[in-house]
Each structure stands twice: as structure tokens, then as C-alpha cells.
Amino acid sequence: MASDDIARLADALSKTHVGDGELSYKGLGLKLDDAESVEELVREIEHYTGLRALRLEGNTVGVDAARAIAKALQSKDLLQRCYWSDMFTGRLRSEIPTALRSLGGALMSAGARLTELDLSDNAFGPDGVKGIEQLLKSPSCHNLQELRLNNCGMGIGGGKILAEALIEGHRQSSEHGAPLKLRVFVAGRNRLENEGARALARAFQLIGSLEEVHMPQNGINHAGVMALASAMRHNPELRVLNFNDNTFTKRGTLAMAQALRHLRNVQVINFGDCLVRSEGAIALAAVLREGLPILKELNLSFGEITEAAALVVAQAVMDKSDMEKVDLNGNSLGEEGCEALREAMENMDKGGMLASLSDDEGEPDDEDEEDDDDASDASDDCDEDNGEIVKENGTTREGDSPAKPQSPAEIMSFLSCPSAERLLQLGEMRTSLQQQVDASDPHNAADVLLKIAALYSEEPETKTAVLETIDAVLKKLLCGSAFQSYCFLSSLLVKMGLLKGEGRVKKASLVPGQLLCLEHAIQQEYFTGHHASLLHTFMSKNGGALESCSSASERLSSTLEKCLNQH
């Protein structure tokens, strides 16, 4: 061992007692190659009575040095916390699993019961996960509360191995009457992708005790996000969700929004750089309206969210007394949109919580560009169609409506070729039209509504029939949860051309009667102030889409403003 390393180690040994049973060599930059190089370190470990925490991060440990340290740890049955991040810099990848097996084997031999294990910033790949696989399954990790594996290059294979180890550890610990209760899981920058995410989702769902999940930058798209969202629902104590820089798109965001509806303890949501987009932002705004009572931080930055959707999010945080920070930077607001957002937050006396908007991407192009992500995702393994609220295994989720009954031939005939004459001929059967809409399929519901509304005329009998049917349909769609009603209104806005949707969504050819039906609807009890505010926000920012029905559009806008003033 070089003399300068010996001197540095000797100096470190005089500073290692930092209280609470912790021995630290953190950040010394020592190159520990063999047994000789760690003689003094080993001696210090052996003589430390009641060792509960060992910090080795920021040094580089070779195989022989690891074996020597491991031998010293074989008697340390009280050890609970191992901070071993950034511990193999410059080592061959093939060396790391061997070193990890030596250290893990020592912990198991000692009968240690770890509560924290940090192996972050060790580029050990899938083979490195194999090096800790037996440790994670063993009784030494049955009490594990925090597992940190950030930036380890695990990949899909490593993610699967890790998941199976956690599942096996939970099984074994459950057999002993004390199931594994992992609280904190950190695995950012690991290239887990969808398969790795799905594997870990199975483990998370089984464990059910997570409070913090950090998985940024893992190349996960909507299919993996949906699996993780389902697992999150089974962890009711979740406080922090960080999936920054993965690719949610609408499908993944809807799944996460569904999960968040069931979680009451979440304080921090980081979906920044996740392509949440406007439809996803609206769904999250709905969840903010009806849940997340103690949320403190919301990060939806760099998500291609437009001005109107950002304003809907801002309105949704109005009643959040614990909210400290809302980050909408890097979206597609435009200069005027940024100013409108700042003004809206100031008017709610929440201007101080809005993060900087300095990296705004500017207003989106008017061109309806093809969505490459959705086009490729269409063939991926998922159980919902474009625009449909996420379902699993082909069954409706809790809170969704049951399957629609078989429809009479007259109803189906009307929907295939709607006309005022056919609507009138239905008579009392018109009430069956509301059975054709389901809040779990907002895309279809919006289509049915617009078909009926297009038949509006001032002829009294037709007018009455259309408005009564519109009322029945909208009452069903808007009187459920805020999430369902917002998803429906979002799909309606896309159909009307007021909101750019994802994928290939055919816009309706609007006629004045459809807007006049909406004017009638917003004055009804089922159309709440929140619903009116959402519609007004998009009409005021994208009213050009309704130019073909300018007179009816003006009537609708005027009535909306009156309704909002009354609220």
C-alpha cells in the first residue's frame, strides 16, 4: 500500500467515531486493493463494539480487500446500515459480484439484520445484482426498510433478478410471521425499461409498505408505467413518487392518476419530463380536485402541456393548504401563457409556489402532427384503446360502471345513422341511450353525445327530445367522480378540436346545435362550476376551433361567463 494512502487511512481512523454506532470512511478516495491495504480499517472494525452503521462510499474496494473486510464483519451481528455507494470505481465489472458476495456472506454469517442498504453509483450491471441476490433473500434483509440502487446499470435482467429476490425475501419473512416492510426504494438511471418495471411492480404490489419510490430515467413507457401504477395502489402509505424522465404519455398518466385517487398520504409527485401532455394534466387536475389532501410538491415540467391545461392544473391546487411548489416549467405555454399562469397563481395568492417558467418551450405548432410514440405503442401489450380509461385484464376497475346491457336494435340503428326522426320514433326508449355511454370509455361517450347534440333544432318536439336525452347522458357522465368527468370532458374537447389529443383522433364536424346543447347543459345542476371552468378555459384559449359556429360559440361563451360569475 502506498505511503500516502497509509497516512490518509491513519488520519481517517482518528475521525471514524461519529456517534450512533457508525464507523465512516466516506469520501476518502482510498484505493483498497488487497488485505494489506485494509489492515488498519479491518482492525478498527474488529475493535468497534456495537457497530451499527458502516460507511465505505467514495473509496474503491478490490476483491481481496472486500474479503478481508468481510472477515471482520462476520462478528458484527448488530450491524443495521450499510452505506456502500460508489465503492468500485475503476474495478473490473467481473470483480464486483465476487466482492459483493463476500460482504453479503459475512452479513448473513453474522446474523446481522439490515434496515438500510445503499449500493448506488456502482456500475455493476445484472451480474452485480446476482452478487446481492442471496443477501436480499436472506433473514439479514427481512427487516430491510431502505434499499438504494441508484445508477447501477442493472438493466432489464438485473431488474428481474432484483424483483424475484424481493419477492422471495417477502415470502420467507412472511413465513416467519414478520413480512418484509420495505419503505424506501431508489433505482433511478438503471435502464429497467418496461420488462424490468413490470417485474418490480409485482414485488411492490406484494410488499405493500412502500413510502417512497424513486425510479427516474429508466426508459419506461406507458406499458411499464401502467404496471407500476397498479402496484402503487397497493401501497397506501406512499408519500413520494418520483418517476422523472420516463415516457408516460396519456395512457401512463391516466393509469397513474387512477392510482393516485386511492392514495391519501402522497406529499411529493415528480412526473417531470414524462410527456404527461395536456390530457394527462387534466386527469391529474381531477385527482387534485378530489384527493391528495396533503400534497406539497407537484412537478409536471417538460411535459408538452399547453396553456389551457396548465391553467386547469393551477385551478386545481387552489384549495391545497399544504402545497409548497408547483413546477410547470419547460412546457408549451408561450409567452402569454406563462404570464396568464403567473397571474392565475397570483390571483389565488399562491404565486410564491410557482416554479420558474424560464425554460418554456413556446406555444405548440398548429399542425396536427403524427404522434410517433402512440403509433408505436398501439401494438404494445395493453388492455385499453386510445382514449379509454385504463383497465386491467379486460375487466372494469373499481368505481367503473358494469358492462352495458344488450341494446335494442332500434337504439343501435339510431346510433349507426342518427336522425331527428329516428330519435322521436324511439319515444320512451330514448332513456336507453344513456346506457350506451360509460364513464370508463370517455372517447365513445363523447362521440355519442355529439351525435345526439347534432340533431338539435328549434322545432319544439325535436328540441325537447334532444335536450332531454342530452341531460340524461350528461348527468350520468358528470355526476360520478371528478376523475371520470374530467376524462370525459377532455375527450369531448379533443373531439371538438379545442384540445390536441394523442394518436389518430377524428375530430367532429361541428354544427351550431352541438354548442347550443352545451349552452343548455352548463346551466343544469349536474354541470358544476369546476366543469364550467374547464370548458371555459379551453374555449377562451382555443376559440378559433369553433369559427364555423361563431354565433353559437359566442352564446356558449357568454353563458359560461355568467355561470362562472354566479359560482
Side-chain angles (χ1 to χ4, degrees):
M1 185 177 185
S3 58
D4 58 340
D5 275 354
I6 294 174
R8 290 167 67 187
L9 181 55
D11 181 60
L13 292 174
S14 66
K15 304 173 183 177
T16 52
H17 297 273
V18 294
D20 194 28
E22 180 177 292
L23 192 57
S24 175
Y25 304 93
K26 180 180 179 180
L28 296 177
L30 300 173
K31 192 171 186 294
L32 307 173
D33 295 326
D34 49 31
E36 181 186 0
S37 67
V38 293
E39 281 180 355
E40 293 186 53
L41 186 152
V42 165
R43 189 177 300 114
E44 184 72 11
I45 292 174
E46 289 174 339
H47 292 164
Y48 197 112
T49 302
L51 181 64
R52 286 179 167 79
L54 178 61
R55 289 189 174 275
L56 295 175
E57 65 262 56
N59 300 289
T60 176
V61 180
V63 171
D64 291 336
R67 286 175 177 148
I69 295 170
K71 188 174 182 180
L73 290 175
Q74 288 178 353
S75 62
K76 301 302 173 182
D77 60 321
L78 298 179
L79 187 61
Q80 296 178 328
R81 303 186 302 279
C82 295
Y83 304 106
W84 295 347
S85 63
D86 189 19
M87 205 171 73
F88 299 109
T89 300
R91 302 294 170 183
L92 293 175
R93 197 163 179 172
S94 58
E95 294 181 75
I96 300 174
T98 304
L100 288 173
R101 286 191 185 94
S102 295
L103 294 168
L107 297 175
M108 290 186 282
S109 296
R113 293 293 185 270
L114 297 186
T115 59
E116 296 181 46
L117 177 61
D118 186 354
L119 288 166
S120 299
D121 301 315
N122 290 310
F124 48 51
D127 289 339
V129 184
K130 292 178 183 177
I132 59 171
E133 182 180 7
Q134 294 308 313
L135 173 64
L136 290 173
K137 293 178 181 178
S138 76
S140 288
C141 283
H142 287 179
N143 295 332
L144 194 64
Q145 297 178 16
E146 301 186 16
L147 177 60
R148 302 176 189 273
L149 296 167
N150 202 56
N151 190 31
C152 290
M154 288 191 287
I156 294 171
K160 289 181 175 180
I161 296 167
L162 175 61
E164 289 304 317
L166 291 173
I167 290 170
E168 179 62 18
H170 184 272
R171 186 191 67 79
Q172 291 186 22
S173 59
S174 297
E175 287 179 354
H176 289 90
L180 171 65
K181 293 189 178 298
L182 191 66
R183 294 191 300 106
V184 177
F185 180 83
V186 182
R189 300 182 65 187
N190 271 292
R191 304 192 306 277
L192 294 169
E193 301 181 16
N194 288 341
E195 290 185 57
R198 282 169 165 156
L200 286 167
R202 289 190 288 273
F204 297 159
Q205 182 164 326
L206 184 67
I207 292 169
S209 56
L210 289 167
E211 296 178 19
E212 297 186 24
V213 177
H214 302 263
M215 296 177 66
Q217 283 187 282
N218 269 298
I220 306 169
N221 68 27
H222 80 272
V225 173
M226 288 164 64
L228 289 167
S230 179
M232 295 304 101
R233 292 178 62 178
H234 295 269
N235 289 266
E237 300 304 317
L238 267 172
R239 293 183 294 105
V240 179
L241 274 177
N242 176 8
F243 291 107
N244 188 283
D245 199 7
N246 290 290
T247 307
F248 282 28
T249 59
K250 174 184 172 181
R251 300 173 182 183
T253 310
L254 286 180
M256 277 294 174
Q258 284 270 36
L260 288 168
R261 294 176 63 200
H262 301 270
L263 302 173
R264 307 291 294 177
N265 297 304
V266 175
Q267 297 178 21
V268 178
I269 295 174
N270 186 345
F271 294 164
D273 207 7
C274 284
L275 281 185
V276 164
R277 294 183 172 142
S278 295
E279 289 181 273
I282 293 171
L284 291 170
V287 179
L288 286 166
R289 288 281 192 193
E290 64 182 353
L292 300 172
I294 59 173
L295 188 66
K296 293 182 178 180
E297 295 185 22
L298 176 64
N299 184 346
L300 298 179
S301 60
F302 298 93
E304 295 187 2
I305 298 169
T306 58
E307 175 190 352
L311 289 170
V312 171
V313 172
Q315 293 158 7
V317 304
M318 180 171 56
D319 297 324
K320 297 297 176 189
S321 58
D322 293 322
M323 187 68 80
E324 297 173 359
K325 183 178 180 181
V326 176
D327 191 346
L328 289 162
N329 192 25
N331 282 297
S332 304
L333 311 184
E335 189 174 339
E336 292 183 4
C338 288
E339 188 54 40
L341 180 59
R342 292 189 191 99
E343 184 178 341
M345 295 293 284
E346 290 288 351
N347 290 341
M348 295 185 293
D349 198 27
K350 295 185 180 292
M353 72 172 59
L354 183 64
S356 167
L357 299 173
S358 59
D359 295 318
D360 186 73
E361 296 286 340
E363 294 183 56
D365 294 334
D366 291 334
E367 298 175 5
D368 218 358
E369 297 175 358
E370 179 66 34
D371 190 330
D372 293 336
D373 180 79
D374 261 19
S376 62
D377 286 348
S379 61
D380 212 331
D381 179 23
C382 90
D383 298 307
E384 95 294 351
D385 198 357
N386 183 46
E388 185 173 348
I389 293 178
V390 179
K391 299 180 182 180
E392 295 171 347
N393 302 324
T395 60
T396 55
R397 284 187 167 184
E398 179 183 352
D400 289 345
S401 303
K404 292 180 292 201
Q406 186 67 33
S407 303
E410 294 89 344
I411 294 291
M412 299 310 296
S413 176
F414 167 77
L415 289 173
S416 65
C417 188
S419 69
E421 182 181 3
R422 287 187 173 188
L423 182 66
L424 292 173
Q425 288 174 350
L426 288 175
E428 293 183 1
M429 288 180 63
R430 286 198 298 271
T431 57
S432 299
L433 281 169
Q434 65 178 295
Q435 296 173 2
Q436 301 307 307
V437 297
D438 192 319
S440 67
D441 188 355
H443 180 78
N444 177 67
D447 192 45
V448 170
L449 182 83
L450 289 173
K451 282 181 178 180
I452 297 169
L455 305 178
Y456 178 91
S457 79
E458 292 298 332
E459 193 278 317
E461 189 178 8
T462 300
K463 180 178 180 179
T464 299
V466 169
L467 293 182
E468 284 180 352
T469 309
I470 290 293
D471 284 338
V473 169
L474 282 177
K475 188 172 183 179
K476 178 180 180 181
L477 293 169
L478 299 181
C479 288
S481 67
F483 177 78
Q484 289 179 333
S485 62
Y486 271 46
C487 284
F488 162 70
L489 289 173
S490 176
S491 294
L492 183 62
L493 292 169
V494 172
K495 280 281 189 180
M496 294 173 66
L498 293 170
L499 169 62
K500 181 182 176 182
E502 289 188 359
R504 304 178 184 90
V505 180
K506 185 178 180 181
K507 296 176 185 175
S509 298
L510 294 179
V511 295
Q514 293 163 324
L515 303 188
L516 296 177
C517 283
L518 281 176
E519 185 205 9
H520 162 81
I522 62 177
Q523 300 175 72
Q524 309 308 308
E525 189 174 339
Y526 59 74
F527 214 101
T528 69
H530 291 165
H531 299 145
S533 177
L534 174 61
L535 181 57
H536 179 264
T537 298
F538 275 87
M539 282 194 65
S540 63
K541 301 301 176 184
N542 305 296
L546 307 179
E547 284 179 348
S548 62
C549 309
S550 56
S551 178
S553 176
E554 289 172 7
R555 278 182 56 177
L556 175 56
S557 295
S558 176
T559 305
L560 270 171
E561 289 174 7
K562 289 177 183 177
C563 290
L564 290 173
N565 289 335
Q566 290 173 3
H567 286 287

